């Protein structure tokens, strides 16, 4: 697990150092309802190009009181999600933390929003005081961590009593039960568990042509083949695993007891 974590760190540092385009704000797979009901999520014109990625944040935060809250995103990547939260949902403050120094540098340079800041730090040793946040967000990042239970213990520590932890990520079908147990391992109480594989796979398919073109335009040619699986493009391992049922995409909302 430690070697895998080091490999992910090296990958994200390389991406941040070599691909510094401000237009690349998100790295998640996205979310698109298979059978939409009701009005679509209203977005600013500048966010529309990243609609599916933004919709994944909107999904995990649905039902959470963000207005006036202190929000932490763990694994904030290139900063698009934290920026959208700060600009759109009315929190008092939004903090993004990421282990990749290059990603933090990009986020500080390119992302704006009221009360928004970015900090370098480790998800398994968060650099914040106890009970600092009302909401903790973790989107498509925890599969990189060497110790999921250590991460959840840190979330419990930095959450205020009554605070919410929202999470989304992919796992093998065999690991679903273990992952759900890990999410409650430090005393957080599950409010909702969902399997959103169909919605994530739908988003990947809808956004495939755009992402394929961006890989061609933005990624240096020697790295393009390696980035295709990272981006979840058609024909690569993860979309095929979602379609076959061997890989699942999960979301959850948990609370720290008051």
């Amino acid at each position: 697990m430690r070697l895998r974590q080091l490999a992910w760190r090296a990958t994200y540092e390389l991406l941040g150092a070599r691909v510094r385009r401000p237009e690349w704000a998100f790295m998640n797979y996205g979310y698109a309802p298979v059978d939409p009901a009701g009005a679509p999520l209203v977005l600013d014109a500048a966010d529309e190009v990243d609609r599916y990625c933004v919709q994944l944040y909107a999904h995990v935060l649905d039902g959470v009181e963000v207005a006036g809250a202190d929000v932490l995103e763990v694994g904030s990547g290139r900063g698009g999600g934290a920026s959208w939260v700060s600009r759109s949902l009315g929190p008092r403050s939004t903090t993004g933390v990421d282990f990749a120094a290059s990603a933090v540098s990009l986020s500080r340079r390119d992302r704006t929003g009221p009360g928004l800041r970015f900090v370098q730090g480790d998800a398994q040793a968060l650099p914040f005081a106890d009970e600092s946040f009302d909401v903790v967000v973790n989107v498509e990042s925890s599969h990189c961590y060497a110790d999921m239970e250590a991460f959840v213990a840190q979330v419990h520590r930095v959450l205020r009593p009554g605070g919410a932890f929202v999470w989304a990520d992919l796992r093998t079908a065999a690991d679903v039960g273990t992952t759900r147990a890990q999410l409650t391992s430090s005393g957080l109480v599950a409010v909702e568990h969902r399997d959103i594989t169909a919605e994530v796979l739908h988003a990947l398919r809808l956004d495939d042509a755009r992402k394929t073109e961006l890989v061609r335009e933005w990624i240096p040619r020697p790295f393009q083949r390696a980035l295709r699986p990272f981006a979840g493009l058609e024909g690569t391992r993860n979309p095929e695993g979602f379609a076959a049922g061997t890989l699942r995409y999960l979301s959850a909302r948990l609370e720290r007891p008051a």
Side-chain angles (χ1 to χ4, degrees):
M1 290 291 288
R2 180 64 178 172
L3 289 175
R4 185 177 73 174
Q5 185 181 36
L6 291 173
W8 278 115
R9 290 191 176 193
T11 299
Y12 285 113
E13 288 286 8
L14 180 64
L15 287 173
R18 294 296 300 271
V19 189
R20 297 184 60 81
R21 299 184 69 109
E23 308 98 304
W24 187 7
F26 291 87
M27 292 190 286
N28 72 63
Y29 281 174
Y31 177 97
V34 177
D35 297 309
L41 179 68
V42 176
L43 297 177
D44 290 343
D47 294 319
E48 189 63 44
V49 67
D50 293 310
R51 166 169 289 278
Y52 302 120
C53 295
V54 172
Q55 285 179 171
L56 184 55
Y57 281 84
H59 162 75
V60 297
L61 285 165
D62 185 34
V64 176
E65 185 57 56
V66 177
D70 294 312
V71 179
L72 171 67
E73 182 182 12
V74 183
S76 53
R78 299 176 75 94
S83 176
W84 177 77
V85 169
S86 72
R87 291 181 288 107
S88 304
L89 302 183
R92 180 168 64 178
S93 69
T94 306
T95 301
V97 62
D98 201 276
F99 57 67
S102 59
V104 172
S105 175
L106 285 170
S107 297
R108 289 172 175 170
R109 185 192 71 180
D110 297 330
R111 309 299 161 225
T112 60
L116 178 64
R117 64 171 179 150
F118 293 94
V119 177
Q120 186 179 10
D122 192 323
Q124 296 152 127
L126 292 170
F128 307 107
D130 295 356
E131 300 182 5
S132 297
F133 299 97
D134 303 295
V135 180
V136 175
V137 181
N138 186 243
V139 171
E140 207 170 299
S141 178
S142 66
H143 62 274
C144 303
Y145 304 164
D147 189 336
M148 183 70 175
E149 291 183 352
F151 161 59
V152 173
Q154 287 291 297
V155 172
H156 185 281
R157 180 183 66 79
V158 302
L159 264 180
R160 294 175 180 137
F165 171 43
V166 297
W167 171 89
D169 210 347
L170 61 158
R171 291 292 189 273
T172 66
D175 285 338
V176 169
T178 298
T179 300
R180 287 177 171 167
Q182 289 170 334
L183 289 169
T184 58
S185 61
S186 293
L188 297 174
V189 177
V191 175
E192 182 179 49
H193 284 296
R194 287 191 60 188
D195 184 319
I196 57 170
T197 307
E199 290 82 358
V200 171
L201 182 58
H202 190 41
L204 283 172
R205 289 170 171 167
L206 290 171
D207 214 16
D208 187 76
R210 182 184 75 94
K211 288 184 176 179
T212 298
E213 183 63 17
L214 293 182
V215 168
R216 188 188 67 80
E217 290 184 359
W218 293 358
I219 305 301
R221 186 175 296 274
F223 303 108
Q224 289 182 10
R225 185 171 181 178
L227 259 290
R228 287 181 57 82
F230 180 87
L233 298 183
E234 186 176 352
T236 60
R237 178 181 60 194
N238 287 352
E240 290 188 344
F242 292 145
T246 58
L247 195 64
R248 312 305 298 170
Y249 203 111
L250 311 173
S251 69
R253 176 158 60 99
L254 303 99
E255 292 180 354
R256 176 174 172 175

